[in-house]
Amino acid sequence: MSTTVTFITPSAPAPPGQPDISYAPDYDKWQARAARRLKEGNLPTTLPEGFPEKLTGDLVWEGETVADAYDWTYVLNDEQLDEIDRAVEHFKGLGLPLGYLTAETFPLPNLHSELRRLSAELHNGHGFFVIRGLRVDEHSREENVIIYAGISAHIAPQRGRQDHKYNGQKADVVLSHIKDLTWSQNNGEIGSPAYTTDKQVFHTDSGDIVSLFALETSAAGGASKLASTWRVYNEIAATRPDLIHTLSQPWDMEVFEKADKQYTERPLLFHFPATESTPERVALQYGRRYFVGFGALPRSPNIPPITEAQAEALDTLHFLGEKYCVNTDFQKGDIQYINNLAIFHARDGFTDTPEKRRHLLRLWLRDPENAWPTPEVLNYRWAELYEGVTPEGQVLPLEPFIRSAGNKGR
């Protein structure tokens, strides 16, 4: 059975006036919508002012050929693994809570310079890499969390807040679990594909860097796919400049957590002109479910429906992501790091068995030394992620839970 296009969760009901689009992309509907809109005409034929006709550099790559020029897998050797084990024992000897994991409390004197080089690769190179070879089965769950957060602290020292409460209490939850919980939770609560076996379509997370650590892989399927935002941008800019206008204009993006206002207006695509110290850049920040809903969290009828142009743009991003993506061959013991402003990602649907259940840990990270500028309209979101996160307030849960932003029962 193929697991590459699996959508098990029923489509979320659409609000009145919403275009014919759901979380599961439909290629034929995309093509028909594009043909219809082109036939209607009156679409911009030039790019928005300031946006480049074409981006260049290491961040422009295609899945079929990126391996020819870039080896994205950093395989740890025995000496490095031993150094990591010593760092685990050092941290445990300090008797500190997990929120105190830093490059200083998890010392890697020899590996540190390599991890700093990899951070530079994230921000100024190809935008992604995989660390391979961690000995997951030789460590307890807590030790694996220590290893993950400890190594990551050398790459990007700031851990972002992924939830604001834990077990009903206010907390800075900086680590989350990506695992199918439909078998153990009330499926009527799940409003995010992260907690299902469904295919996750192309999207970005929040923050500068998204990282995933594979404690276990699935019995079948579940491939991790990455695509270059810049390569996709170049394709759209060359063929459909009107969609660059659409993506760079404000969208009504749903806020799934409790808030004074249940949506915020912002673009999905951002342009940064070149400066004396930085090249010209484009950044993408979006998730499809915030515009079409998913599972137990359909798009609210109290939010304006998206437009036909926006529906086409969402599908264009996804299908071009599929066209140009690379499969990172995610294995047990791998940690994947991606520049979340320059790379977007997806995963294939998968099948678990009682003996082999896909289980990933996730961190949202930031490296102030190498970080890209934050788009001005996203400053509020970056503040929610990174400001005021203290060692004593951090929670790194050892067991899976459904984040508030993906939980109907929030």
Side-chain angles (χ1 to χ4, degrees):
M1 181 184 73
S2 172
T3 58
T4 57
V5 290
T6 305
F7 291 99
I8 294 174
T9 304
S11 293
Q18 183 86 337
D20 182 12
I21 186 172
S22 64
Y23 181 79
D26 185 309
Y27 184 86
D28 292 336
K29 288 182 180 179
W30 171 50
Q31 292 291 286
R33 177 174 282 115
R36 185 170 63 249
R37 295 191 64 245
L38 285 169
K39 184 177 180 181
E40 290 169 356
N42 296 320
L43 301 176
T45 56
T46 59
L47 292 166
E49 185 177 355
F51 276 77
E53 291 187 10
K54 187 175 184 178
L55 291 159
T56 59
D58 287 346
L59 271 174
V60 181
W61 50 260
E62 298 182 9
E64 288 187 359
T65 56
V66 64
D68 296 341
Y70 177 51
D71 181 1
W72 63 80
T73 306
Y74 187 89
V75 182
L76 296 165
N77 60 40
D78 288 341
E79 289 183 3
Q80 292 167 330
L81 289 167
D82 290 344
E83 183 174 68
I84 290 167
D85 286 346
R86 289 193 297 273
V88 172
E89 293 308 311
H90 175 84
F91 181 78
K92 289 170 68 175
L94 297 175
L96 295 170
L98 298 179
Y100 285 85
L101 277 159
T102 66
E104 288 71 39
T105 61
F106 192 85
L108 298 171
N110 297 312
L111 190 53
H112 174 79
S113 60
E114 284 293 277
L115 298 178
R116 295 308 299 151
R117 179 185 65 80
L118 290 170
S119 176
E121 180 64 46
L122 273 185
H123 294 86
N124 305 310
H126 294 80
F128 73 101
F129 64 86
V130 173
I131 291 177
R132 176 158 294 167
L134 289 167
R135 302 181 283 218
V136 171
D137 291 336
E138 295 182 14
H139 296 280
S140 68
R141 175 68 58 77
E142 182 179 49
E143 288 171 345
N144 279 315
V145 169
I146 291 170
I147 289 168
Y148 181 31
I151 290 174
S152 298
H154 291 263
I155 295 166
Q158 286 185 269
R159 290 187 286 271
R161 188 186 284 111
Q162 299 188 47
D163 210 337
H164 55 82
K165 63 180 181 180
Y166 185 68
N167 285 340
Q169 302 296 314
K170 185 177 180 180
D172 294 330
V173 183
V174 297
L175 179 137
S176 61
H177 296 248
I178 310 300
K179 189 177 184 181
D180 175 31
L181 299 179
T182 57
W183 61 277
S184 62
Q185 303 267 346
N186 178 0
N187 200 13
E189 301 288 305
I190 295 176
S192 168
Y195 310 113
T196 73
T197 62
D198 284 46
K199 177 186 178 77
Q200 276 189 289
V201 302
F202 275 92
H203 66 285
T204 65
D205 281 19
S206 293
D208 291 72
I209 299 166
V210 57
S211 170
L212 295 168
F213 178 24
L215 297 179
E216 184 57 272
T217 54
S218 57
S224 176
K225 295 180 174 179
L226 310 181
S228 161
T229 294
W230 287 21
R231 179 62 187 91
V232 169
Y233 172 89
N234 284 349
E235 180 93 349
I236 299 173
T239 60
R240 289 294 303 277
D242 60 292
L243 293 180
I244 301 297
H245 284 265
T246 301
L247 290 165
S248 61
Q249 293 165 352
W251 294 48
D252 296 323
M253 179 175 174
E254 186 151 5
V255 177
F256 287 119
E257 297 181 70
K258 289 182 179 178
D260 294 336
K261 185 180 178 182
Q262 284 308 120
Y263 68 98
T264 183
E265 301 99 342
R266 70 161 178 85
L268 308 192
L269 188 70
F270 306 91
H271 174 243
F272 298 98
T275 68
E276 290 183 4
S277 57
T278 60
E280 182 175 36
R281 290 166 170 160
V282 162
L284 179 72
Q285 279 279 287
Y286 87 109
R288 187 180 178 101
R289 74 182 182 99
Y290 294 93
F291 306 102
V292 301
F294 179 88
L297 290 175
R299 185 168 176 86
S300 170
N302 299 319
I303 303 173
I306 66 172
T307 66
E308 286 289 328
Q310 290 172 335
E312 185 190 353
L314 287 176
D315 280 343
T316 300
L317 288 174
H318 173 76
F319 286 111
L320 289 180
E322 289 274 17
K323 179 179 179 180
Y324 292 119
C325 72
V326 65
N327 177 349
T328 60
D329 187 29
F330 210 29
Q331 299 177 12
K332 181 175 180 175
D334 281 1
I335 307 179
Q336 176 177 284
Y337 295 88
I338 68 173
N339 180 333
N340 191 52
L341 292 169
I343 306 293
F344 60 147
H345 61 284
R347 75 139 195 252
D348 283 349
F350 63 92
T351 302
D352 280 341
T353 63
E355 301 77 28
K356 194 171 173 62
R357 293 190 181 277
R358 189 178 193 265
H359 188 176
L360 311 183
L361 303 179
R362 182 178 68 187
L363 292 170
W364 289 343
L365 303 166
R366 178 174 171 83
D367 178 10
E369 181 181 332
N370 289 318
W372 287 19
T374 304
E376 188 172 342
V377 297
L378 291 180
N379 281 335
Y380 80 95
R381 180 59 179 148
W382 260 238
E384 290 175 348
L385 295 176
Y386 299 114
E387 286 186 7
V389 178
T390 61
E392 59 273 14
Q394 289 183 41
V395 176
L396 289 84
L398 300 185
E399 296 300 327
F401 67 102
I402 301 175
R403 286 197 313 129
S404 298
N407 189 342
K408 183 181 180 181
R410 66 196 185 280

